[in-house]
Amino acid sequence: MIQTVSAWGYFAAWRILRWLPENFVYARANAVADYLVKRNGKSIARLRSNLARTQPNITALDLDLLVYSGMRSALRYWCDTFRFPDWSRERILGTVTFNDESILMDAVAAGNGAIVTLPHCGNYDHAAAYFCARGAKIVTVAEHLKPEKLFKKFMQYRSDFGMESLPLDGRVIPTLMQRIRTGCVIALAADRDLSKSGIDVNFFGGPARMPAGPALLAIRTGAPLISAYVSYTPTGIHIDFTRMQIPTEGTETQRVAALVQKSADLFAEGIAKYPQDWHMMQRIWIDGDFKDRD
């Protein structure tokens, strides 16, 4: 029952927030974000804990301000999501900046596929829509949501701007390998392991576990592996790309572990620079931090 009510809330937001004036919607979202931070529920406390680990020398006051900024950024993502179906192609293309767009576009032009790995940051759907509009075939993987209506709605939402979204299950790696061979770009959020069988990494000086999928795909297909960090700008998003060197020595297990650690290091660089845009309200570290609230 709770899942059904929650789903109808999402469906209503997709309609109502598109009717209201844009400035009003985002101003109210900021007010809601501030209210949620003041309530300091479980998700906010987890966000605070995560951000504190990324900024080890931060003062209590600055951490408070960062949590407010982080929650505003998270709700900006949801406002974008609900209003995105009405965005014009010109708006999508005109509100994205890069450090070096050619890192991905050269891979797209080569037609041999690519893997982009990124943390949960900024508006990654905006980034995907941009590259879909530029002619890339983008494929991602989605955790299966309940109820089924809501899961299908998110799948359709991404399909409408050109991205294929596959359900996360035991058959997904072979399917992704096939998509790569047809020239697709596989975009995977990889800062949190959902399989419970990920790779142990050092992340901001603490033990965490991240998925092996992006590294495994790159090693087995030979496609470029690219790290990305998406941060918000006043009018849109900025994307920092880094092409990762694929190890050639060692066993496959060793090579995968090295690549996942390199991904973690690049995620940490982006998060340290734009911590407010890392929307992580789940547990990341596995050393018992904050266990009493899980």
Side-chain angles (χ1 to χ4, degrees):
M1 179 63 181
I2 293 175
Q3 291 174 346
T4 300
V5 171
S6 176
W8 281 111
Y10 280 100
F11 298 148
W14 252 300
R15 288 181 174 272
I16 296 170
L17 296 191
R18 292 163 63 183
W19 298 339
L20 296 171
E22 182 167 305
N23 288 342
F24 174 83
V25 169
Y26 286 91
R28 294 311 302 162
N30 285 342
V32 171
D34 293 349
Y35 170 74
L36 292 174
V37 172
K38 290 174 183 175
R39 285 191 59 189
N40 198 35
K42 184 176 179 179
S43 294
I44 300 300
R46 172 56 65 187
L47 177 64
R48 182 185 302 275
S49 174
N50 287 341
L51 290 175
R53 294 194 72 154
T54 72
Q55 311 287 314
N57 298 317
I58 197 169
T59 66
L61 175 59
D62 285 340
L63 179 58
D64 284 342
L65 294 174
L66 179 56
V67 173
Y68 275 103
S69 296
M71 198 60 192
R72 285 188 172 200
S73 178
L75 287 204
R76 178 177 174 179
Y77 165 78
W78 283 111
C79 287
D80 286 352
T81 297
F82 296 135
R83 295 179 62 87
F84 203 71
D86 292 333
W87 284 23
S88 66
R89 184 176 187 273
E90 290 71 26
R91 180 173 182 177
I92 292 170
L93 292 175
T95 51
V96 184
T97 59
F98 306 89
N99 66 329
D100 187 354
E101 182 183 13
S102 68
I103 292 174
L104 181 56
M105 289 308 297
D106 286 353
V108 171
N112 298 319
I115 303 105
V116 176
T117 181
L118 71 165
H120 289 80
C121 55
N123 189 336
Y124 32 86
D125 288 329
H126 187 172
Y130 173 92
F131 286 104
C132 287
R134 293 288 307 278
K137 296 178 289 184
I138 308 291
V139 181
T140 193
V141 174
E143 184 179 3
H144 207 117
L145 301 174
K146 293 182 180 181
E148 187 70 16
K149 283 183 182 178
L150 183 59
F151 179 66
K152 289 182 177 178
K153 175 65 177 176
F154 274 102
M155 300 277 275
Q156 186 61 50
Y157 159 69
R158 288 174 168 162
S159 176
D160 287 345
F161 62 75
M163 180 165 63
E164 181 183 12
S165 191
L166 301 173
L168 178 62
D169 59 31
R171 300 181 300 275
V172 75
I173 291 293
T175 302
L176 292 175
M177 292 177 66
Q178 188 275 331
R179 295 292 193 275
I180 290 170
R181 295 188 184 102
T182 63
C184 292
V185 174
I186 310 301
L188 299 171
D191 53 347
R192 178 170 176 253
D193 179 46
L194 296 176
S195 68
K196 307 305 180 185
S197 60
I199 304 297
D200 290 343
V201 296
N202 182 296
F203 191 52
F204 286 101
R209 192 169 291 134
M210 295 185 182
L216 196 63
L217 288 170
I219 289 170
R220 292 186 177 178
T221 65
L225 178 61
I226 299 167
S227 176
Y229 193 87
V230 183
S231 55
Y232 270 120
T233 66
T235 59
I237 59 171
H238 178 80
I239 309 173
D240 286 301
F241 286 124
T242 303
R243 180 160 177 172
M244 299 170 62
Q245 188 69 35
I246 307 298
T248 57
E249 298 182 358
T251 66
E252 182 179 82
T253 298
Q254 291 170 333
R255 295 161 71 197
V256 167
L259 273 180
V260 176
Q261 181 61 62
K262 181 59 177 176
S263 291
D265 294 342
L266 290 170
F267 293 168
E269 288 182 18
I271 293 166
K273 191 174 182 181
Y274 306 106
Q276 72 280 1
D277 293 322
W278 185 43
H279 306 150
M280 183 49 64
M281 300 181 200
Q282 290 82 32
R283 187 176 181 181
I284 291 293
W285 286 271
I286 56 175
D287 56 0
D289 171 68
F290 214 59
K291 183 184 294 184
D292 58 314
R293 298 296 297 268
D294 282 330

